[in-house]
Amino acid sequence: MATMTVREQSILQVTGNTLRTAGRAIPILGKISEPLILILEHVLSHAECDALIGLARDRMRRARTGRSRALSDVRTGSGAFLEENENEWVRAIELRLAGLMGVPAAHAEPLQILHYRPGEEYRPHLDYFMAEQVANNRISTLVMYLNDVEEGGETVFPSLRLAVTPKKGNAVYFEYFYGDPRLNELTLHGGSPVAAGEKWIATQWMRRQRYREL
């Protein structure tokens, strides 16, 4: 008798071709089921994209990696964190993203804005922390594109042969909290070097447990 494969439960229960949050319909442009990866349209309005760039532009610093926040050639762009209580735009966006991602807003890390100039990149990596002692690990990611990139800058998942082209207002969602570590490892991803123009993104990471007080 053939053995049945039990599908892993996902955080988001996707039915149809649209996600709905805070009264907004988010079209699904592409999907991989295991691990769950969604390419989403119109997650942010163009005005929201411009506002986030404007809030972060003057505070950008060389981006760091890992729990130690170390400088590394793996990640050569610049970044800044936005706290939800500093601006009504950020507060409204974070609450909507929490609904979209199906996780309470208190589980979210502060929204991070990242900027990449020509030649800058983020080499393939995993968003969750590998150390077993990390009880409150990351479980999902939403990468939102704040501008159209002239050339390059795709979000790539090399193990899945998937590349997502940056488009202003669109996003890619993926999760990695599965019991099967092989599924989690398939979310290895990176930001391809920007070949022309610049790339601005906003990243929302969710934790397994409460991460901050709101």
Side-chain angles (χ1 to χ4, degrees):
M1 180 180 295
T3 301
M4 293 185 61
T5 301
V6 179
R7 182 175 172 180
E8 290 262 10
Q9 186 71 28
S10 60
I11 297 172
L12 292 185
Q13 301 302 303
V14 181
T15 57
N17 297 323
T18 304
L19 295 178
R20 296 188 180 275
T21 179
R24 176 181 297 199
I26 307 292
I28 299 173
L29 301 180
K31 174 184 175 183
I32 292 176
S33 296
E34 284 192 304
L36 183 61
I37 300 176
L38 301 174
I39 302 171
L40 304 172
E41 188 176 28
H42 301 322
V43 172
L44 297 175
S45 69
H46 282 204
E48 288 171 330
C49 292
D50 295 341
L52 292 176
I53 292 174
L55 286 170
R57 186 182 296 275
D58 291 337
R59 64 175 88 172
M60 304 300 287
R61 299 290 184 272
R62 172 73 185 274
R64 298 170 182 264
T65 60
R67 297 180 70 206
S68 64
R69 313 308 301 162
L71 291 174
S72 171
D73 289 340
V74 170
R75 189 180 198 182
T76 54
S78 57
F81 286 96
L82 302 179
E83 294 292 343
E84 57 85 25
N85 59 359
E86 71 177 69
N87 184 280
E88 62 182 14
W89 286 87
V90 178
R91 171 71 173 171
I93 289 170
E94 283 201 348
L95 289 175
R96 191 170 76 243
L97 298 183
L100 175 64
M101 299 174 75
V103 180
H107 291 225
E109 295 184 26
L111 197 63
Q112 186 179 37
I113 310 301
L114 293 164
H115 181 223
Y116 296 90
R117 297 180 176 86
E120 294 181 338
E121 64 178 325
Y122 196 172
R123 296 176 189 169
H125 60 282
L126 296 167
D127 276 358
Y128 58 91
F129 304 115
M130 301 300 292
E132 295 181 0
Q133 66 269 24
V134 181
N136 192 14
N137 213 331
R138 290 174 177 169
I139 57 174
S140 61
T141 298
L142 185 69
V143 175
M144 295 154 280
Y145 304 108
L146 304 183
N147 74 311
D148 295 325
V149 181
E150 186 176 342
E151 184 179 354
E154 299 88 354
T155 301
V156 295
F157 295 81
S159 299
L160 299 169
R161 298 183 179 180
L162 172 66
V164 182
T165 301
K167 182 174 176 58
K168 188 173 184 176
N170 288 7
V172 57
Y173 167 87
F174 51 100
E175 53 186 50
Y176 35 82
F177 78 116
Y178 304 107
D180 184 349
R182 294 172 298 178
L183 286 179
N184 298 328
E185 291 164 3
L186 288 175
T187 64
L188 181 78
H189 65 286
S192 296
V194 173
E198 61 179 349
K199 173 184 174 183
W200 287 89
I201 63 172
T203 303
Q204 182 73 86
W205 291 290
M206 287 295 184
R207 297 287 187 124
R208 185 176 297 274
Q209 303 165 11
R210 177 183 287 270
Y211 183 75
R212 55 181 173 158
E213 298 296 329
L214 297 179

